[in-house]
Amino acid sequence: MKIEIVKGRDQCVPDQSIAVVIDVLRAFSTTDVAKETGVQDILLCQTYEEAQTIKTQYPGIVTVGEQDGFQIDGFDLGNSPYYLSQYIPQPKQIAIKTTNGVAAVFSVLNAQKVLVASLRNAKNIAVFLQAWAVQHPDSDIYIICSAATGEEDYACAKYIRALLRGQNDYTAADVIEVIKSCAAAQKFVMAGDKHFPSEDLALCSLERDDAEVLEIEKNKWIELKEATL
């Protein structure tokens, strides 16, 4: 079993591999907060038009999306875990489109299995991958840092790899330090920018013991569901 870390949202992986797509700031921190707050269905959208079609077909679904960090016109929310957690009434379904994380998922749909990750569920991702490797010893693991220059995604990838190798030389605390000091974090410490609330940075800098491991399920739409071996 090979463990490979790659950077960028446009990747090619072998069909028999398992792909782990990381987006710490903020897509897959947002989806974890969604599950934590009771969202049942998460649909991933590749285009604006797809999101609007879903909005028409599923009354009550909340559209969450950003382009280059800024909320997309016509969407209910930007890609903010904090704003999602405060949304009233709390949604049961969301459709999400993002510049890096969601886009990266669509580039590796050929993989045998695709998981989504952030620091919030990184430890449980590693546990799942260890179990997967036992059952699928010939399936290589590709850990994809969706933001090509994202220090935070790479830090999270190194943490997951260290856990898989049984090493303790790179910890969650190291990842948190990178998240809070990385270039992307500076947008969240500037007071008054509604697109980058400081609360998001705090929510993206957490690791949750009971965070779900979510995988891609291909139905009529691309959905996130609880992962199974």
Side-chain angles (χ1 to χ4, degrees):
M1 179 191 69
K2 177 177 69 175
I3 304 170
E4 185 167 343
I5 296 175
V6 295
K7 297 181 180 181
R9 63 187 180 228
D10 299 312
Q11 296 296 329
C12 296
V13 300
D15 292 348
Q16 295 306 309
S17 65
I18 181 168
V20 181
V21 180
I22 297 175
D23 192 335
V24 173
L25 291 172
R26 293 167 282 177
F28 301 131
S29 296
T30 298
T31 54
D32 183 68
V33 168
K35 297 302 291 186
E36 184 183 25
T37 55
V39 172
Q40 297 171 358
D41 301 316
I42 302 174
L43 283 62
L44 305 188
C45 305
Q46 192 168 21
T47 65
Y48 174 88
E49 291 76 18
E50 191 172 57
Q52 295 308 306
T53 298
I54 289 171
K55 183 77 170 176
T56 300
Q57 294 185 5
Y58 297 86
I61 198 168
V62 172
T63 49
V64 176
E66 55 79 18
Q67 182 63 44
D68 299 324
F70 297 94
Q71 181 173 338
I72 301 171
D73 289 343
F75 277 56
D76 298 307
L77 291 171
N79 177 29
S80 167
Y82 174 69
Y83 289 152
L84 179 60
S85 72
Q86 300 300 303
Y87 196 83
I88 299 174
Q90 191 58 226
K92 295 301 181 185
Q93 297 176 309
I94 67 168
I96 182 169
K97 178 190 182 305
T98 70
T99 305
N100 290 318
V102 173
V105 165
F106 280 93
S107 74
V108 294
L109 288 178
N110 65 294
Q112 187 173 357
K113 190 175 287 288
V114 182
L115 309 178
V116 298
S118 66
L119 175 61
R120 293 175 63 91
N121 70 344
K123 183 165 52 179
N124 293 340
I125 287 281
V127 171
F128 183 93
L129 290 173
Q130 288 168 335
W132 174 267
V134 171
Q135 295 191 17
H136 306 270
D138 297 326
S139 179
D140 292 332
I141 298 171
Y142 285 81
I143 306 176
I144 299 161
C145 308
S146 64
T149 59
E151 306 150 77
E152 70 285 356
D153 286 354
Y154 185 54
C156 188
K158 289 195 296 181
Y159 176 46
I160 292 172
R161 182 176 63 185
L163 290 171
L164 287 171
R165 292 176 173 173
Q167 299 169 340
N168 59 6
D169 57 341
Y170 203 82
T171 68
D174 295 316
V175 183
I176 292 169
E177 183 177 349
V178 172
I179 293 171
K180 291 183 175 180
S181 63
C182 69
Q186 303 316 303
K187 293 178 287 189
F188 298 92
V189 298
M190 297 172 60
D193 191 333
K194 67 177 183 178
H195 295 283
F196 304 100
S198 60
E199 294 88 349
D200 277 0
L201 192 60
L203 287 169
C204 295
S205 303
L206 294 174
E207 184 175 43
R208 291 204 308 124
D209 289 340
D210 58 348
E212 289 188 42
V213 175
L214 300 177
E215 68 173 316
I216 297 305
E217 186 173 288
K218 302 173 189 175
N219 296 310
K220 180 179 180 180
W221 307 103
I222 302 300
E223 301 181 43
L224 288 181
K225 298 291 185 182
E226 184 176 359
T228 58
L229 292 171

